[in-house]
Amino acid sequence: MITTILISYSAAIIMDRIPLKYSLEGLPKKERKQLRAIIKKKKRFVLAIYVIINIGILLTLKYFNFFASSSIGLLGWLGINVSAPVIKIALPLGISYYTLQSISYVVDVLRGKYKAEKNIFKIALFISFFPQMHEGPFGRYDALMPQMTSGEQIKINNLYNGIAQMFWGMFKIFMVANRAAIISDAVFKNHESYGGFTVIIGVIAYTIQLYAEFSGYIDVAAGVSKIFGIGLAKNFDMPFLALNVGDFWRRWHISLGGWFRDYIFYPISTSRALMKIVKNLPAFLANLLTITIPLFFVWFLTGLWHGASSKYIVYGLYYFVLMIIFNLISPLVNRVLSKNNITSENRLIKGLRLTKTLILVGIGMLMFRAENLLVFRQMLGSVFSRGSEFQLFSAIEPNDFIIFILSFIVILLSVIMKLKDIDIESRFEALSSYKKYWICFCVFCIVVIFGAYGLGYIPPDPIYGGF
Amino acid sequence: MKRLKIILTVSSCFLITAIIYMYICLIVSPKSIHDSGGTKYYRGMGFLAEPENSIDVMVYGNSDVYAGFVPAKLYDEFGYTSYASGTVLQTIGDINNLLKKTLRTQAPKVAILEVDCLYEKRNKALDDSNFLLAPFVFHVRWKELKFRDFYTIPNRSKKYDITKGFVHSDEINKYDAGDYMGNKNQKPHPIPRRNLKHLKNFIKICRTNNIKILFLELPSASSWNYAKHNYMNYLSKDLNIPFIDLNVKDSNFNIDFAKDFRDKGDHMNVFGAEKATTYVGRYLKEKYSSILSDRRNVKEYAHWQEVVDHFKKVL
């Protein structure tokens, strides 16, 4: 992380100083343009060096073994036998998060969005801001830095609101996610035995686990930050109400999607190389390629970001294929609907779209949780066959299941209230300190007494913490 | 006036919070040995409920003791009454407190110290006896709460334990004894200085009360090695206290790595514990028969037959 901080700070400072070497004043327009191109080229060169070093660290520490074994496998298939050393280094906590976050800072300096920060400690603070180190969300320099350096004192209201959000996050993790994990583990760890509805139960349980855990950790991070008067980027927006997979990813891990959109999709889709490729193609094909090529890189890298395994790459490409199909089919579907005077607001159509999205996301979740692609294929196939009978209460104790269901209902209620435009956060903020205190204390007691942690429970590893 | 109001509100808030939290601690604390966590909570002090001066051999130590020493077996084979006063991660400092408590009602002839505990460092966070941590340590108790839990104050004295401290387990998880104990010539691994001070205090109390001390190390592949053995060997000679280490071949104790452990070498199961108890019993008979009496046919100790019957029934 220290290396990342040092190179991010240096790269941004160097980029900012490059134009100072050249004086544009009094130059003819043509020469000024040429000089600007040189400056841009030099800045890009610095960026390239910076990205190579920064991504190089990430690739070496996180992906070296995966790429080495894949390359050896490929070469072996071609009849060339080689060997490579296995690197055993403890992966720095949050490396995938702070690497991308630091890149966004340097790229934004290059784009002239803001000036390079002269104080290295401020850059260090931005890159190593502890609440978001573990599972995100990805913060942007221009959004975080003014809040971090405003010198605002800790306010009692921020303290209550932050603690309340932290406890809400813990409620999701310890009451819901850790219990859903008991059910999903029981199914996935004995996947050979089960089929049909049991696999679906496993996928639903895993989906609940992933959402409750990930959004729970984000709530804890946001709560801690709120105590210091810092607002983090939004990472979830009721993702399971999405009507298509694109919409799902605009609501799920929003900060990651935003990063890939701003730093992968837009640069590739507006790049000269792509423009050259599509220049002489028919409009339909040109439009298709302008979306498909950047989207391919976005989803390939999204998959790879999740983990150094072919499973995650296929997981990313699964969404890439779905989005391309959606882009191709949706104009046809819309045309058919409008011919029959059916609007997109029609409840039946909305319900069908919601169901379709949930099924597709469910398949994605199955791939994400399955040990490898072979297991995924076997489990997906077994949905249509009958396996052993699943004994729910031998996997999870009945009273644990009741607490799980009740807690899950609480989360559902919070979603319903949001849908009805009831702003729980504002309502909580409007309460007196006295009431806020007792609400926080009640949630704390509920989590401490009924939470699934410690003695009697096997704690699941934080899923997104591993990325 | 406004300031006073704020102070009063804040203090009343804290007071009410403390009362509610303490009450939650009281509710979830185990009220009996049979409650979840009750074994850990009460086991080490079950001797407090024993008839006065009825225990001849006290065995102190950490989890190795409750897993590896069977008082019922010792009584059944040799007629010696004993109590296995071991709890998880118990330190020698805690043991000194237990010893003082023991001496209030008992007059043991022999105190066996399972020496693995001499390497334990005090960890307050894991201290099960901390009442204020009860909601965290015993939080699974909500599943089994009874009406009595809401009004009974947990009391560690007077909890009669028919197992006399032994925690039964017939689970078998074999241990791969590849590098068991390590190199014989390992450099001695000293115990923490603080523990040495506590140990000297333990010895002083025992000697003052005319209690013979025996250092014992029950088989524990994951926590014991030659470095510790060599140090304890040196210490036992220095302090003039006998030391039996069932981990070394010289002891002639035959550990069956395939059958005697419950958790891959960390703790013994009932099969290993029976063997270890018989071994210790033979040693006690050989060395201390002059001070230990066979209580099997003594009327006052008739209840010990129930202890043996209970053990055999569970077995």
Side-chain angles (χ1 to χ4, degrees):
Chain A
M1 183 190 277
I2 293 170
T3 313
T4 304
I5 291 167
L6 288 173
I7 58 168
S8 304
Y9 170 76
S10 314
I13 291 284
I14 294 167
M15 276 181 193
D16 246 16
R17 285 188 183 169
I18 288 171
L20 301 177
K21 288 182 183 171
Y22 305 92
S23 174
L24 298 171
E25 267 178 54
L27 288 175
K29 201 177 173 185
K30 197 182 166 189
E31 281 183 31
R32 217 186 294 170
K33 204 178 167 186
Q34 277 175 344
L35 211 52
R36 277 206 187 102
I38 291 169
I39 292 169
K40 203 174 174 185
K41 212 173 173 183
K42 287 199 171 185
K43 277 186 177 183
R44 286 193 169 180
F45 177 73
V46 174
L47 179 73
I49 300 285
Y50 164 74
V51 170
I52 287 167
I53 298 172
N54 208 5
I55 294 289
I57 297 169
L58 178 68
L59 288 178
T60 312
L61 294 177
K62 192 175 172 184
Y63 298 99
F64 177 82
N65 293 336
F66 166 66
F67 284 125
S69 65
S70 305
S71 311
I72 289 166
L74 192 69
L75 289 170
W77 186 68
L78 295 169
I80 308 162
N81 289 322
V82 284
S83 63
V86 174
I87 293 185
K88 281 185 183 172
I89 307 173
L91 205 59
L93 181 72
I95 187 168
S96 305
Y97 290 95
Y98 70 70
T99 304
L100 297 197
Q101 196 164 296
S102 58
I103 288 175
S104 75
Y105 162 70
V106 178
V107 172
D108 284 350
V109 170
L110 172 95
R111 286 174 179 172
K113 198 174 174 186
Y114 38 75
K115 287 268 172 199
E117 177 56 60
K118 290 190 176 73
N119 186 342
I120 192 168
F121 293 107
K122 285 186 179 175
I123 295 300
L125 177 65
F126 166 66
I127 292 174
S128 65
F129 186 51
F130 72 94
Q132 55 182 33
M133 278 275 290
H134 194 227
E135 295 203 11
F138 292 96
R140 299 291 174 92
Y141 177 82
D142 51 337
L144 282 178
M145 195 41 69
Q147 300 184 72
M148 284 172 165
T149 52
S150 66
E152 205 178 311
Q153 283 184 333
I154 292 180
K155 288 178 185 164
I156 192 82
N157 258 344
N158 284 345
L159 187 73
Y160 276 128
N161 300 339
I163 289 173
Q165 195 164 0
M166 272 170 64
F167 286 166
W168 175 235
M170 286 178 189
F171 180 89
K172 286 181 182 173
I173 298 164
F174 295 118
M175 304 291 283
V176 179
N178 287 4
R179 286 194 170 90
I182 300 172
I183 303 171
S184 71
D185 280 357
V187 176
F188 279 89
K189 284 183 179 167
N190 300 297
H191 62 89
E192 307 94 344
S193 319
Y194 300 126
F197 195 60
T198 305
V199 175
I200 295 171
I201 290 176
V203 172
I204 293 171
Y206 181 68
T207 307
I208 294 171
Q209 177 197 346
L210 188 61
Y211 173 71
E213 190 222 276
F214 191 19
S215 67
Y217 273 108
I218 295 292
D219 280 329
V220 173
V224 174
S225 305
K226 208 177 259 181
I227 292 173
F228 299 110
I230 297 165
L232 294 186
K234 195 177 178 184
N235 221 30
F236 292 96
D237 183 20
M238 298 183 281
F240 298 105
L241 296 179
L243 298 179
N244 58 60
V245 286
D247 190 20
F248 173 80
W249 278 97
R250 278 188 292 276
R251 293 159 174 261
W252 174 277
H253 209 346
I254 298 169
S255 63
L256 178 74
W259 195 95
F260 277 109
R261 181 195 61 220
D262 292 350
Y263 302 103
I264 302 290
F265 186 86
Y266 287 154
I268 297 176
S269 62
T270 55
S271 67
R272 276 189 200 163
L274 187 65
M275 290 301 147
K276 266 185 192 170
I277 294 170
V278 299
K279 201 176 172 184
N280 299 318
L281 293 174
F284 169 74
L285 205 59
N287 283 341
L288 187 68
L289 284 182
T290 314
I291 293 172
T292 308
I293 292 173
L295 216 52
F296 171 81
F297 283 104
V298 164
W299 287 104
F300 176 79
L301 292 172
T302 301
L304 198 62
W305 179 85
H306 281 94
S309 118
S310 51
K311 178 185 86 173
Y312 291 117
I313 294 174
V314 175
Y315 171 76
L317 295 180
Y318 165 73
Y319 279 105
F320 162 70
V321 171
L322 287 182
M323 281 181 197
I324 295 300
I325 294 172
F326 175 77
N327 278 337
L328 290 171
I329 289 179
S330 64
L332 294 173
V333 174
N334 288 339
R335 211 175 297 160
V336 172
L337 289 177
S338 62
K339 263 190 183 177
N340 292 291
N341 288 330
I342 302 169
T343 64
S344 55
E345 290 303 305
N346 182 295
R347 282 192 172 190
L348 180 70
I349 297 297
K350 264 189 162 181
L352 286 172
R353 283 182 165 165
L354 187 74
T355 313
K356 170 207 73 185
T357 310
L358 287 176
I359 292 170
L360 294 173
V361 168
I363 295 170
M365 291 290 176
L366 177 61
M367 195 189 305
F368 198 68
R369 172 64 179 84
E371 217 174 303
N372 52 49
L373 287 170
L374 223 64
V375 173
F376 162 69
R377 204 178 68 182
Q378 190 255 316
M379 284 185 82
L380 190 64
S382 69
V383 171
F384 306 101
S385 66
R386 242 185 103 168
S388 315
E389 202 180 323
F390 180 57
Q391 304 285 338
L392 178 69
F393 293 126
S394 68
I396 184 167
E397 285 181 39
N399 33 26
D400 265 319
F401 186 69
I402 293 167
I403 294 288
F404 166 64
I405 294 293
L406 291 175
S407 312
F408 184 63
I409 288 171
V410 173
I411 294 183
L412 279 184
L413 283 175
S414 75
V415 174
I416 292 168
M417 285 170 96
K418 247 185 193 176
L419 278 176
K420 298 211 164 189
D421 283 334
I422 302 170
D423 190 349
I424 313 166
E425 278 179 41
S426 313
R427 289 199 176 193
F428 179 81
E429 281 172 22
L431 292 174
S432 68
S433 298
Y434 196 69
K435 282 179 184 166
K436 281 181 189 175
Y437 176 81
W438 288 115
I439 290 173
C440 288
F441 182 65
C442 284
V443 179
F444 167 77
C445 290
I446 289 170
V447 173
V448 167
I449 298 171
F450 298 106
Y453 64 91
L455 190 77
Y457 297 95
I458 301 164
D461 290 330
I463 302 166
Y464 268 78
F467 303 142
Chain B
M1 196 63 190
K2 200 183 168 189
R3 207 170 176 182
L4 185 73
K5 204 180 160 188
I6 292 170
I7 292 169
L8 278 174
T9 313
V10 171
S11 351
S12 60
C13 246
F14 276 116
L15 190 70
I16 297 168
T17 307
I19 292 169
I20 295 174
Y21 185 74
M22 299 272 269
Y23 185 57
I24 291 170
C25 293
L26 185 141
I27 294 169
V28 296
S29 292
K31 309 298 183 308
S32 115
I33 284 173
H34 307 292
D35 289 346
S36 288
T39 318
K40 278 166 93 183
Y41 196 67
Y42 293 107
R43 189 75 55 159
M45 284 194 271
F47 59 81
L48 292 170
E50 293 295 317
E52 273 191 32
N53 300 328
S54 65
I55 304 289
D56 289 335
V57 180
M58 281 298 295
V59 189
Y60 298 106
N62 56 20
S63 53
D64 290 350
V65 167
Y66 69 62
F69 186 83
V70 196
K73 181 83 178 168
L74 189 73
Y75 180 81
D76 192 32
E77 284 195 17
F78 303 95
Y80 303 147
T81 54
S82 61
Y83 196 91
S85 184
T87 54
V88 177
L89 304 175
Q90 184 154 247
T91 63
I92 182 70
D94 299 329
I95 288 169
N96 278 343
N97 292 331
L98 277 180
L99 178 63
K100 285 172 196 162
K101 277 189 182 129
T102 310
L103 295 174
R104 281 183 209 157
T105 55
Q106 302 293 335
K109 311 286 185 303
V110 179
I112 300 177
L113 183 67
E114 212 272 345
V115 290
D116 190 30
C117 69
L118 295 176
Y119 288 91
E120 301 282 9
K121 284 181 186 161
R122 184 143 185 80
N123 188 341
K124 287 210 167 180
L126 289 169
D127 190 352
D128 297 343
S129 62
N130 192 334
F131 177 71
L132 292 177
L133 290 180
F136 299 93
V137 179
F138 305 114
H139 79 281
V140 283
R141 286 259 300 130
W142 64 268
K143 293 178 189 175
E144 57 174 32
L145 289 179
K146 297 177 190 79
F147 185 58
R148 53 122 160 130
D149 288 303
F150 292 85
Y151 61 83
T152 311
I153 293 169
N155 179 8
R156 292 191 200 208
S157 56
K158 307 290 177 197
K159 291 286 174 192
Y160 181 73
D161 176 11
I162 198 159
T163 69
K164 309 293 174 198
F166 175 66
V167 176
H168 176 93
S169 169
D170 51 14
E171 264 188 68
I172 298 173
N173 272 307
K174 76 172 189 180
Y175 170 68
D176 176 16
D179 191 30
Y180 180 48
M181 290 291 283
N183 186 345
K184 211 170 180 175
N185 301 316
Q186 276 182 67
K187 198 179 152 196
H189 177 183
I191 61 172
R193 191 176 288 181
R194 196 187 170 90
N195 285 359
L196 188 63
K197 200 176 141 197
H198 283 302
L199 176 66
K200 286 186 175 165
N201 194 24
F202 176 85
I203 295 166
K204 191 179 159 195
I205 299 171
C206 285
R207 285 184 175 154
T208 312
N209 289 279
N210 212 16
I211 301 167
K212 299 282 178 205
I213 305 165
L214 169 64
F215 286 163
L216 169 72
E217 182 50 37
L218 289 161
S220 178
S222 56
S223 65
W224 200 250
N225 53 39
Y226 265 114
K228 290 181 180 178
H229 169 85
N230 292 343
Y231 179 76
M232 282 314 301
N233 223 2
Y234 153 77
L235 200 64
S236 73
K237 278 173 193 157
D238 189 48
L239 298 167
N240 196 23
I241 292 168
F243 172 44
I244 319 171
D245 189 346
L246 302 189
N247 294 275
V248 294
K249 281 180 185 161
D250 316 348
S251 67
N252 295 321
F253 179 72
N254 295 317
I255 313 168
D256 187 341
F257 293 108
K259 290 178 186 163
D260 290 347
F261 290 100
R262 61 171 75 174
D263 46 14
K264 296 179 184 172
D266 200 7
H267 299 100
M268 282 196 288
N269 56 25
V270 67
F271 312 113
E274 276 194 297
K275 277 161 66 177
T277 308
T278 303
Y279 186 95
V280 174
R282 277 192 205 125
Y283 184 89
L284 292 174
K285 195 174 178 181
E286 191 188 321
K287 304 279 180 188
Y288 303 111
S289 55
S290 57
I291 53 168
L292 291 174
S293 311
D294 183 345
R295 311 284 196 185
R296 278 175 291 191
N297 296 315
V298 182
K299 199 180 153 192
E300 285 79 18
Y301 293 85
H303 65 281
W304 269 85
Q305 195 49 50
E306 285 170 29
V307 175
V308 175
D309 293 343
H310 177 268
F311 172 69
K312 286 182 177 169
K313 197 176 145 195
V314 175
L315 190 69

